[in-house]
């Protein structure tokens, strides 16, 4: 009987926060989860190595579908490269907001890379468009039938607008891939949620594997205090963000704080994306949290009064200001330009509200580096204050454990984290849930064996017969069901043996036994019979024992008749007759009767 | 499998399905045509209405003149309007497990069901359905509560009295069941019982049944429902549309392979073409305004109004109406316009693409921005300051019995320059206008009903091929006013089963199989044998576990070891515990081979005799006789168990087991 496996090939997500790209083989179906790029590299290493797959032939032939969990570039940045340059024409699934926002971020990123840095061998605008034509948008909780056997279903993941976790199911085997998720609601998004879907495998991100973050409110207070203090002493605050996501949450936070404290220092939001981004939030408001959704008719939270568009010239303005600038890891673009301008002044502050991957300026300053080598061998000395505030909406250890509790997986696989931290979490998961936990390295394959039960069709007649018998409330005596499993054209049907015979056009062959049992009893025949009857009735309490008018005895369907021995009057011959179906009972009866009758009738 | 039919209104259905072990209510529509029998509720004191004469019986008795008023030959109840509820006595509604809602028009009776029947189950609906349904209910409650009416007439409902009344009051059905409008707390309580679902989401009910909403193409979030187990499939098609308006297109493919298809909510105006009606609407509107008159459009606050505004958006400039103000007056006008813009995922492809840009999917955002369309919660407040004529007013309620529309009817009714254009198909426009007669105002009837017509139904049924169709009786005969139009009825084979209010139908199913799971350990122990090419058999003896309507087969437990040290006291301890049934046997025994086998096993004195039906094999020394026939074998022997067992096993070798 079948035994199937998942093959999880970390084509990029392994023990590394850089980029996500996972290949799952489940019951013969191949699904690629996310197609991210690495922000820390500027060469070939930024895209996943698809030769893992292409060595087996064309991507389209090999993959049944691609699923993108959310619009962050470390999850979708390699998509146009993958579909248009390597070549994939199958379906790509993502939620509606992801489908809307993803191409804009890709185009933005393409512009920075190609137009500003002048790189070649990169995807074009047209490739982004062609790639997006292959995208099929999915609703939350919609069961999408990819083909006859493969189905996928999206769950709300929090994290960013449109982020989703995906369940991938073939028959009764399933995998859940979380993408990035957040188990606590924030100022603009709700918390991730999944039902008790008991997947064979849960693939969870583990960015914050060891962190158990203090309460959201403390972090917010801290953030506001730091911004406020800097502004009060005339300093400038730079907050590198990605255009969509944390930026909106922090904007809501600052907007309400400025309103309450009646502050005058200007707040700016860089890049042309701002207004557009907020528009997406307005139009996809059903993806935000309960509170925003409820009040949006009266007041749309994404229409800001205090936050204005940034102009490059403003960076040199005297006096305090707060600027949200993209991108979030200080690796390119406007945020890096402003950082270079402000880094020399100790009155200023940069607040990193999210994780930075290795190789980025963000990562360097967060790890304490204060002298940075810039392009052209210039050394930039960082005198401004550097603060890190974990606002990026990833689940922390507590959140990951909570999700495992919700979904009840049989196995857990951790990706998108740092090896040491993951090891700690792995132990914790194995201890608490007694499930196997894996953490494959990049390019490593994890195989998980499942042993699924097999669904078959049972004829209603057989089931009803059995459930009717099963009504006897005796738990200690489990009722046995007897049926015949017909395997035909890859279908399994369980029917009664009679029906199986009939369907195959066969007739039953009756096998009957008749045993002569000699009993020493001088009494008259009918008296002997009566003694036998009483004896059997006494012994076989749970059976139907009957004395028929014609002088025979039946035990269930076994027939017992007595005749006198032709030669010996003191001996009676009992003819015990049963069919093969009553073999046990028949055999038992003959041996019981062979022992003779008890001395006195009980 | 039964269907209890609680509503007689084909487009406001309420059915209860008993499907396997679950009780499922399909929609709970509220029949509001009852309100046409009532006088309008004016927002501003109306001298005309208050001066209407009381109704006097033929014999001159006046005891009803406080309750009933006469207007242009029609008699109206002067009381708070009341609605005709779905049947509540046909079955105990507290036993309903779930309610499935197909669209926001079909949930208006929800508070009556969830708050007054002991209902403890769950309601399933899509998010747009709930949000817009809430708006419709809010508007309804608001327009009735804001005009407190002292009088609540009930004398006329007395059966003896009702007989004496003129039509249509005389013929009104179930008047004792008519109820006043619910309140906002009841609406909130009812809506809190709703669980949101998305299209193609599979929802498990008690492990026995799966329900799935599918896009029906009629309104934002409108759905048809699939109710199925592993072997039965019922499709509930309610309010569907194949026209391309703003909602996501109808999902037809998923309706295939249905055993039963319940068909409700077809177009109420099968002879009108919605596109043509929209054209007429625009030209009548333009003509009236050009002549200096005002246009009144009685409407619901959501639905067709979005399409009308979109048409006008394209039409206004070319028709030279740029300076004519458009007013949308409803307590939920703002919410409705805002909500329409945030349901990108539920919209047709073109509108979705706009959202990706990102632009608002509906152009009424631009109409509002450019001040061409203004919306107000009511005629009081800001509206009275901004109000300029000539103008176009969209407002409710389409029955003309309550809401701001009553005010405009009173205000504009006397001038032949003005026009009222009816677009909603739910009420007969002549009945709606009756209490305003005599009218000088022009009346134009452009009903826009995008739901399926009979041609589309025929095509749909051909496409999805259900085994049986169930529908309201109205669809099985031509409309009463057009009895010659035999094309205006459902035509399918076998002919549809029809239902009427308060009827119980037995739905035709033939169920033969059920799903069961074989546990891996048991599966491993099975030994399939190929009996015929391509067909293998395995006998299964296993323990059946049934929990939450799911069946699982497991390996039988190993017989427990008798506890050591405990003496067997009685013979009965040996009695076989549970009868392990033996498999059925099949095949026949070739006598020659059988004899050879016997000899091989040491029986030297085998003798064979022929009989009419077969052979008798004799083992003389053992005094044993074996009768072999085509389909039976009989072993007759002495009580020699080892011998019998040996012979048994030799016989079994020749037979197949089942």
């Amino acid at each position: 009987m079948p035994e199937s496996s998942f093959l999880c090939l970390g084509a990029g997500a392994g023990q590394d926060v850089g980029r996500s790209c996972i290949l799952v083989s489940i019951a013969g179906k191949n699904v690629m989860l996310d197609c991210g790029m690495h922000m820390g590299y500027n060469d070939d290493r930024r895209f996943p190595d698809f030769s893992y797959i292409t060595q087996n032939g064309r991507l389209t032939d090999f993959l049944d579908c691609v699923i993108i969990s959310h619009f962050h570039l470390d999850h979708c940045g390699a998509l146009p490269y993958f579909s248009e340059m390597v070549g994939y024409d199958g379906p790509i699934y993502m939620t509606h907001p992801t489908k809307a926002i993803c191409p804009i971020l890709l185009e933005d990123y393409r512009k920075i890379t190609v137009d500003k840095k002048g790189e070649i061998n990169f995807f074009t605008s047209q490739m982004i468009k062609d790639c997006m034509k292959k995208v099929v948008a999915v609703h939350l909780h919609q069961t999408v039938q990819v083909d006859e056997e493969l189905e996928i279903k999206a769950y709300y993941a929090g994290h960013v607008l449109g982020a989703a976790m995906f369940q991938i199911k073939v028959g009764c085997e399933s995998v859940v891939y979380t993408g990035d998720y957040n188990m606590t609601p924030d100022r603009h998004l709700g918390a991730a949620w999944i039902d008790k879907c008991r997947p064979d495998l849960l693939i969870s991100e583990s960015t914050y594997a060891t962190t158990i973050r203090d309460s959201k409110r403390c972090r917010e207070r801290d953030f506001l205090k730091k911004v406020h203090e800097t502004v009060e002493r005339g300093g400038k605050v730079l907050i590198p963000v990605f255009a969509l996501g944390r930026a909106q949450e922090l904007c809501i936070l600052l907007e309400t704080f400025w309103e309450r404290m009646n502050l005058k220092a200007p707040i700016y939001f860089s890049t042309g994306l701002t207004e557009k981004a907020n528009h997406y939030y307005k139009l996809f408001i059903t993806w935000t949290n309960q509170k925003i959704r409820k009040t949006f008719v009266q007041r749309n939270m994404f229409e800001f009064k205090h936050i204005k568009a940034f102009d490059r010239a403003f960076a040199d303005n005297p006096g305090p200001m707060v600027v949200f600038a993209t991108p979030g890891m200080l690796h390119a673009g406007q945020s890096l330009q402003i950082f270079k301008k402000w880094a020399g002044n100790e009155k200023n502050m940069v607040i990193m509200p999210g994780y930075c991957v290795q190789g980025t300026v963000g990562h360097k300053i967060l790890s304490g580096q204060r002298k940075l080598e810039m392009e052209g061998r210039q050394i930039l000395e960082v005198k401004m204050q550097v603060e890190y505030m974990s606002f990026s909406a990833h689940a922390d250890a507590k959140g990951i454990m909570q999700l495992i509790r919700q979904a009840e997986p049989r196995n857990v696989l951790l990706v998108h984290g740092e090896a040491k931290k993951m090891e700690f979490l792995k132990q914790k998961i194995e201890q608490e849930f007694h499930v196997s936990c894996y953490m494959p390295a990049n390019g490593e394959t994890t195989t998980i064996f499942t042993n699924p039960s097999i669904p078959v069709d049972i004829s209603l007649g057989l089931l009803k017969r059995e459930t009717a018998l099963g009504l006897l409330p005796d738990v200690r005596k489990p009722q046995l069901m007897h049926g015949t499993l017909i395997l035909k054209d890859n279908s399994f049907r369980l029917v009664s043996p009679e029906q199986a015979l009939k369907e195959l056009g066969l007739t039953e062959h009756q096998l009957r036994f008749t045993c002569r049992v000699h009993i020493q009893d001088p009494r008259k025949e009918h008296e002997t019979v009566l003694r036998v009857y009483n004896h059997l009735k006494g012994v076989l309490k749970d059976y139907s024992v009957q004395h028929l008018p014609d002088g025979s005895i039946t035990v269930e369907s076994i027939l017992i008749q007595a005749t006198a021995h032709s030669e010996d009057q003191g001996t009676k011959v009992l003819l015990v007759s049963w069919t093969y179906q009553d073999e046990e009972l028949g055999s038992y009866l003959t041996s019981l009767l062979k022992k003779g009758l008890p001395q006195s009738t009980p | 499998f039964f269907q209890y039919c609680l509503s007689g209104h084909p487009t406001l259905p309420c059915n209860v399905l008993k499907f396997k072990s679950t009780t499922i209510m399909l929609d709970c529509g509220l029949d509001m045509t009852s309100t046409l029998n009532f006088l309008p509720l004016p927002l501003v004191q109306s001298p005309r209405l208050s001066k209407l004469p009381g109704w006097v019986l033929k014999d001159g008795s006046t005891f009803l003149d406080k309750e009933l008023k006469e207007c242009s030959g029609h008699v109206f109840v002067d009381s708070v309007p009341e609605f005709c509820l779905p049947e509540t006595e046909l079955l105990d509604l507290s036993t309903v497990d779930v309610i499935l809602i197909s669209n926001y028009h079909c949930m208006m009776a929800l508070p009556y069901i969830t708050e007054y029947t002991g209902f403890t189950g769950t309601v399933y609906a899509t998010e747009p359905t709930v949000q817009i349904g809430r708006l419709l209910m809010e508007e309804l409650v608001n327009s009735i509560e804001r005009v407190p009416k002292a009088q609540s007439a009930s004398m006329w409902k007395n059966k003896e009295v009702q007989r004496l009344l003129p039509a249509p009051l005389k013929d009104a059905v179930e008047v004792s069941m008519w109820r006043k409008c619910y309140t906002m707390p009841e609406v909130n309580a009812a809506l809190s019982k709703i669980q949101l679902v998305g299209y193609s989401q599979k929802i498990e009910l008690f492990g026995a049944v799966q329900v799935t909403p599918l896009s029906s193409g009629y309104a934002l979030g409108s759905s048809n429902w699939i109710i199925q187990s592993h072997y039965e499939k019922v499709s509930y098609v309610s309010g569907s549309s194949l026209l391309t308006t703003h909602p996501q297109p109808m999902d037809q493919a998923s309706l295939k392979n249905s055993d039963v298809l319940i068909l409700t909510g077809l177009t109420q105006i099968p002879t009108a073409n919605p596109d043509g009606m929209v054209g007429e609407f625009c030209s009548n509107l333009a003509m009236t305004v050009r002549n200096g008159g005002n246009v009144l459009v009685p409407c619901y606050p959501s639905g067709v109004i979005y399409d009308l505004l979109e048409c006008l958006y394209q039409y206004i400039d070319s028709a030279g109406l740029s300076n004519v103000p458009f007013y949308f007056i409803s307590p939920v006008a703002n919410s409705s316009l805002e909500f329409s813009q945030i349901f990108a995922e539920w919209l047709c492809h073109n509108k979705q693409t706009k959202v990706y840009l990102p632009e608002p999917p509906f152009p009424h955002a631009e109409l509002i921005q450019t001040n061409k369309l203004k919306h107000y919660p009511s005629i009081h407040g800001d509206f009275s300051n901004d109000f300029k004529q000539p103008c176009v007013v969209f407002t409710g309620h389409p029955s003309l019995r309550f809401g701001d529309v009553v005010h405009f009817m009173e205000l504009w009714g006397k001038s032949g320059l003005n026009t009222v254009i009816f677009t909603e198909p739910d009420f007969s426009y002549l009945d709606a206008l009756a209490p305003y007669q005599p009218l000088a105002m022009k009346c134009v009837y452009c009903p826009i009903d995008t739901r399926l017509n009979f041609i589309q139904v025929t095509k749909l049924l051909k496409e999805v091929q259900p085994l049986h169709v169930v529908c309201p009786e109205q669809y099985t005969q031509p409309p009463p006013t057009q009895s010659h139009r035999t094309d205006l009825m459902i035509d399918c084979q076998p002919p549809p089963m029809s239902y009427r209010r308060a009827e119980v139908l037995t739905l035709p199913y033939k169920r033969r199989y059920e799903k069961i799971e074989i546990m891996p350990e048991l599966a491993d122990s099975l030994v399939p044998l190929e009996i015929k090419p391509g067909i293998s058999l395995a006998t299964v003896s296993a323990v059946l576990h049934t929990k939450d309507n799911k069946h699982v087969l497991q390996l039988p437990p190993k017989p427990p070891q008798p506890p050591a040290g405990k003496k067997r006291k009685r013979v009965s301890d040996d009695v076989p515990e549970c009868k392990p049934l033996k498999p059925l046997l099949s095949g026949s025994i070739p006598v020659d081979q059988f004899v050879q086998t016997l000899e091989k096993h040491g029986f030297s004195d085998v003798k064979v005799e022929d009989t009419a039906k077969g052979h008798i094999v004799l083992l003389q020394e053992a005094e044993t006789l074996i009768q072999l026939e085509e389909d039976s074998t009989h072993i007759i022997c002495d009580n020699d168990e080892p011998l019998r067992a040996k012979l048994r096993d030799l016989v079994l070798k020749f037979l197949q087991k089942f």
Side-chain angles (χ1 to χ4, degrees), chain A residues 280 457 460 481-482 485 493 509-510 514 516 581 583, chain B residues 231 356 512-514 538 541-542 583 623 633-635 648:
Chain A
Y280 281 115
D457 295 346
L460 212 57
M481 156 181 278
H482 302 274
L485 190 64
R493 280 182 309 128
H509 188 105
Q510 207 185 57
T514 300
R516 294 182 292 264
Q581 272 62 44
E583 172 71 6
Chain B
Y231 299 95
Y356 290 165
R512 288 177 49 219
Y513 286 95
E514 181 70 81
S541 280
E623 285 188 56
T633 300
H634 194 169
I635 300 173
R648 176 194 66 200

Short mmCIF file of all heavy atoms in Angstrom, two decimals, chain A residues 280 457 460 481-482 485 493 509-510 514 516 581 583, chain B residues 231 356 512-514 538 541-542 583 623 633-635 648:
data_model
loop_
_atom_site.label_atom_id
_atom_site.label_comp_id
_atom_site.label_asym_id
_atom_site.label_seq_id
_atom_site.Cartn_x
_atom_site.Cartn_y
_atom_site.Cartn_z
N TYR A 280 -3.59 51.62 -2.09
CA TYR A 280 -3.80 50.18 -2.03
C TYR A 280 -4.43 49.78 -0.72
O TYR A 280 -5.32 48.96 -0.65
CB TYR A 280 -2.47 49.43 -2.22
CG TYR A 280 -2.04 49.35 -3.66
CD1 TYR A 280 -0.91 49.97 -4.12
CD2 TYR A 280 -2.81 48.63 -4.57
CE1 TYR A 280 -0.52 49.90 -5.45
CE2 TYR A 280 -2.43 48.54 -5.90
CZ TYR A 280 -1.29 49.18 -6.33
OH TYR A 280 -0.94 49.09 -7.63
N ASP A 457 -14.64 3.57 -1.06
CA ASP A 457 -16.09 3.67 -1.08
C ASP A 457 -16.67 2.41 -0.48
O ASP A 457 -16.35 1.31 -0.92
CB ASP A 457 -16.59 3.79 -2.53
CG ASP A 457 -16.11 5.09 -3.17
OD1 ASP A 457 -15.64 5.96 -2.42
OD2 ASP A 457 -16.19 5.20 -4.39
N LEU A 460 -23.39 1.24 0.92
CA LEU A 460 -24.22 1.69 2.02
C LEU A 460 -24.87 0.51 2.72
O LEU A 460 -25.05 0.50 3.92
CB LEU A 460 -25.28 2.64 1.47
CG LEU A 460 -25.71 3.72 2.42
CD1 LEU A 460 -24.54 4.56 2.86
CD2 LEU A 460 -26.76 4.59 1.74
N MET A 481 -16.13 -6.09 11.09
CA MET A 481 -16.82 -5.92 9.82
C MET A 481 -16.17 -6.82 8.80
O MET A 481 -14.95 -6.93 8.74
CB MET A 481 -16.73 -4.47 9.38
CG MET A 481 -16.88 -4.30 7.88
SD MET A 481 -16.74 -2.61 7.38
CE MET A 481 -18.38 -2.06 7.71
N HIS A 482 -16.97 -7.50 8.01
CA HIS A 482 -16.43 -8.36 6.97
C HIS A 482 -16.87 -7.86 5.64
O HIS A 482 -18.05 -7.68 5.41
CB HIS A 482 -16.89 -9.79 7.19
CG HIS A 482 -16.48 -10.30 8.53
ND1 HIS A 482 -15.26 -10.86 8.75
CD2 HIS A 482 -17.11 -10.27 9.71
CE1 HIS A 482 -15.16 -11.17 10.03
NE2 HIS A 482 -16.27 -10.81 10.64
N LEU A 485 -12.91 -6.04 -0.58
CA LEU A 485 -12.42 -4.83 -1.22
C LEU A 485 -12.19 -5.15 -2.69
O LEU A 485 -11.45 -6.06 -3.03
CB LEU A 485 -11.12 -4.40 -0.54
CG LEU A 485 -10.57 -3.04 -0.90
CD1 LEU A 485 -11.52 -1.95 -0.46
CD2 LEU A 485 -9.21 -2.85 -0.24
N ARG A 493 -13.42 -0.17 -3.74
CA ARG A 493 -14.77 -0.24 -3.20
C ARG A 493 -14.87 -1.40 -2.23
O ARG A 493 -14.39 -2.50 -2.52
CB ARG A 493 -15.79 -0.40 -4.32
CG ARG A 493 -16.09 0.93 -5.02
CD ARG A 493 -17.13 0.76 -6.09
NE ARG A 493 -16.78 -0.32 -6.98
CZ ARG A 493 -17.60 -1.33 -7.28
NH1 ARG A 493 -18.81 -1.37 -6.76
NH2 ARG A 493 -17.22 -2.27 -8.10
N HIS A 509 -20.15 -21.00 -3.50
CA HIS A 509 -19.96 -22.43 -3.33
C HIS A 509 -20.18 -22.76 -1.86
O HIS A 509 -19.48 -22.24 -1.00
CB HIS A 509 -18.53 -22.83 -3.76
CG HIS A 509 -18.32 -24.30 -3.80
ND1 HIS A 509 -18.25 -25.02 -4.97
CD2 HIS A 509 -18.16 -25.19 -2.79
CE1 HIS A 509 -18.06 -26.29 -4.68
NE2 HIS A 509 -18.00 -26.42 -3.36
N GLN A 510 -21.19 -23.59 -1.62
CA GLN A 510 -21.48 -23.88 -0.22
C GLN A 510 -20.69 -25.10 0.25
O GLN A 510 -20.72 -26.15 -0.39
CB GLN A 510 -22.98 -24.14 -0.04
CG GLN A 510 -23.39 -23.79 1.37
CD GLN A 510 -24.83 -24.14 1.63
OE1 GLN A 510 -25.24 -25.30 1.46
NE2 GLN A 510 -25.60 -23.14 2.05
N THR A 514 -21.13 -32.30 7.97
CA THR A 514 -22.05 -32.99 8.86
C THR A 514 -21.22 -34.01 9.64
O THR A 514 -20.54 -34.85 9.06
CB THR A 514 -23.18 -33.70 8.09
OG1 THR A 514 -23.90 -32.71 7.36
CG2 THR A 514 -24.13 -34.40 9.04
N ARG A 516 -20.93 -36.89 12.70
CA ARG A 516 -21.69 -37.82 13.54
C ARG A 516 -21.05 -37.83 14.92
O ARG A 516 -19.88 -38.15 15.07
CB ARG A 516 -21.65 -39.23 12.94
CG ARG A 516 -22.38 -39.33 11.60
CD ARG A 516 -22.36 -40.75 11.10
NE ARG A 516 -21.00 -41.18 10.72
CZ ARG A 516 -20.54 -41.13 9.46
NH1 ARG A 516 -21.31 -40.71 8.46
NH2 ARG A 516 -19.31 -41.53 9.20
N GLN A 581 -19.32 -21.06 6.97
CA GLN A 581 -19.43 -19.76 7.63
C GLN A 581 -19.54 -19.90 9.15
O GLN A 581 -19.23 -18.99 9.88
CB GLN A 581 -20.64 -18.97 7.09
CG GLN A 581 -20.33 -18.12 5.86
CD GLN A 581 -19.88 -18.93 4.67
OE1 GLN A 581 -20.44 -19.98 4.36
NE2 GLN A 581 -18.81 -18.48 4.02
N GLU A 583 -17.98 -22.25 10.87
CA GLU A 583 -16.94 -23.22 11.17
C GLU A 583 -16.54 -23.24 12.65
O GLU A 583 -16.51 -24.29 13.27
CB GLU A 583 -15.72 -22.93 10.27
CG GLU A 583 -14.48 -23.74 10.58
CD GLU A 583 -14.60 -25.22 10.21
OE1 GLU A 583 -15.62 -25.59 9.60
OE2 GLU A 583 -13.68 -26.00 10.53
N TYR B 231 -21.23 11.45 -1.96
CA TYR B 231 -21.98 10.80 -3.04
C TYR B 231 -23.23 11.52 -3.50
O TYR B 231 -23.85 11.11 -4.45
CB TYR B 231 -22.32 9.36 -2.63
CG TYR B 231 -21.06 8.60 -2.39
CD1 TYR B 231 -20.53 8.47 -1.11
CD2 TYR B 231 -20.35 8.08 -3.46
CE1 TYR B 231 -19.33 7.83 -0.91
CE2 TYR B 231 -19.16 7.44 -3.27
CZ TYR B 231 -18.65 7.31 -1.99
OH TYR B 231 -17.46 6.68 -1.81
N TYR B 356 -5.93 47.26 -9.37
CA TYR B 356 -4.50 46.97 -9.39
C TYR B 356 -3.67 48.21 -9.75
O TYR B 356 -2.48 48.25 -9.57
CB TYR B 356 -4.19 45.85 -10.39
CG TYR B 356 -4.71 44.49 -9.97
CD1 TYR B 356 -4.80 43.44 -10.87
CD2 TYR B 356 -5.10 44.25 -8.64
CE1 TYR B 356 -5.28 42.20 -10.49
CE2 TYR B 356 -5.58 43.02 -8.26
CZ TYR B 356 -5.67 41.99 -9.18
OH TYR B 356 -6.12 40.77 -8.80
N ARG B 512 -25.73 4.99 -2.82
CA ARG B 512 -25.30 3.60 -2.71
C ARG B 512 -23.98 3.44 -1.98
O ARG B 512 -23.67 2.39 -1.47
CB ARG B 512 -25.23 2.97 -4.10
CG ARG B 512 -26.62 2.75 -4.66
CD ARG B 512 -26.58 2.20 -6.06
NE ARG B 512 -25.68 1.07 -6.18
CZ ARG B 512 -24.89 0.90 -7.23
NH1 ARG B 512 -24.89 1.78 -8.21
NH2 ARG B 512 -24.11 -0.15 -7.29
N TYR B 513 -23.21 4.53 -1.92
CA TYR B 513 -21.90 4.39 -1.30
C TYR B 513 -21.66 5.46 -0.24
O TYR B 513 -22.32 6.49 -0.20
CB TYR B 513 -20.79 4.44 -2.35
CG TYR B 513 -20.73 3.17 -3.15
CD1 TYR B 513 -21.37 3.06 -4.37
CD2 TYR B 513 -20.05 2.08 -2.63
CE1 TYR B 513 -21.33 1.87 -5.08
CE2 TYR B 513 -20.00 0.89 -3.35
CZ TYR B 513 -20.63 0.78 -4.57
OH TYR B 513 -20.58 -0.39 -5.26
N GLU B 514 -20.69 5.22 0.59
CA GLU B 514 -20.28 6.15 1.63
C GLU B 514 -18.76 6.08 1.68
O GLU B 514 -18.16 5.10 1.25
CB GLU B 514 -20.91 5.69 2.95
CG GLU B 514 -20.61 6.53 4.15
CD GLU B 514 -21.30 7.86 4.08
OE1 GLU B 514 -22.49 7.94 4.41
OE2 GLU B 514 -20.64 8.84 3.66
N ALA B 538 -9.69 -8.25 -2.11
CA ALA B 538 -9.07 -8.56 -0.83
C ALA B 538 -10.18 -8.67 0.18
O ALA B 538 -11.08 -7.82 0.20
CB ALA B 538 -8.08 -7.47 -0.45
N SER B 541 -11.41 -8.01 7.18
CA SER B 541 -12.07 -8.19 8.47
C SER B 541 -11.49 -7.14 9.38
O SER B 541 -10.30 -7.15 9.66
CB SER B 541 -11.81 -9.58 9.04
OG SER B 541 -12.65 -10.50 8.42
N ALA B 542 -12.30 -6.23 9.79
CA ALA B 542 -11.74 -5.10 10.52
C ALA B 542 -12.77 -4.54 11.48
O ALA B 542 -13.94 -4.91 11.45
CB ALA B 542 -11.30 -4.02 9.55
N PRO B 583 -15.10 -16.19 5.27
CA PRO B 583 -15.41 -15.61 3.95
C PRO B 583 -16.35 -16.51 3.16
O PRO B 583 -16.49 -17.69 3.45
CB PRO B 583 -14.04 -15.54 3.28
CG PRO B 583 -13.20 -16.54 3.98
CD PRO B 583 -13.70 -16.60 5.39
N GLU B 623 -15.06 -43.96 7.00
CA GLU B 623 -16.50 -43.83 6.96
C GLU B 623 -16.91 -42.41 6.63
O GLU B 623 -17.73 -41.78 7.29
CB GLU B 623 -17.14 -44.25 8.30
CG GLU B 623 -17.14 -45.76 8.48
CD GLU B 623 -17.95 -46.15 9.70
OE1 GLU B 623 -19.13 -45.75 9.76
OE2 GLU B 623 -17.39 -46.80 10.58
N THR B 633 -20.29 -28.39 -1.65
CA THR B 633 -19.52 -29.55 -1.20
C THR B 633 -20.03 -29.90 0.19
O THR B 633 -20.24 -29.01 1.01
CB THR B 633 -18.02 -29.21 -1.11
OG1 THR B 633 -17.58 -28.81 -2.40
CG2 THR B 633 -17.21 -30.38 -0.62
N HIS B 634 -20.29 -31.15 0.43
CA HIS B 634 -20.80 -31.58 1.72
C HIS B 634 -19.90 -32.68 2.27
O HIS B 634 -19.73 -33.72 1.62
CB HIS B 634 -22.24 -32.07 1.56
CG HIS B 634 -22.94 -32.22 2.88
ND1 HIS B 634 -24.31 -32.43 2.96
CD2 HIS B 634 -22.51 -32.16 4.15
CE1 HIS B 634 -24.66 -32.52 4.23
NE2 HIS B 634 -23.59 -32.36 4.98
N ILE B 635 -19.31 -32.46 3.40
CA ILE B 635 -18.44 -33.46 4.01
C ILE B 635 -19.17 -34.10 5.17
O ILE B 635 -19.59 -33.40 6.11
CB ILE B 635 -17.12 -32.82 4.51
CG1 ILE B 635 -16.38 -32.17 3.34
CG2 ILE B 635 -16.26 -33.84 5.24
CD1 ILE B 635 -15.16 -31.37 3.73
N ARG B 648 -11.25 -30.36 5.19
CA ARG B 648 -11.71 -28.98 4.97
C ARG B 648 -10.64 -28.18 4.24
O ARG B 648 -10.90 -27.53 3.24
CB ARG B 648 -12.02 -28.34 6.33
CG ARG B 648 -12.43 -26.87 6.25
CD ARG B 648 -12.37 -26.23 7.61
NE ARG B 648 -10.99 -26.18 8.09
CZ ARG B 648 -10.65 -26.03 9.37
NH1 ARG B 648 -11.57 -25.96 10.31
NH2 ARG B 648 -9.38 -25.97 9.73
#
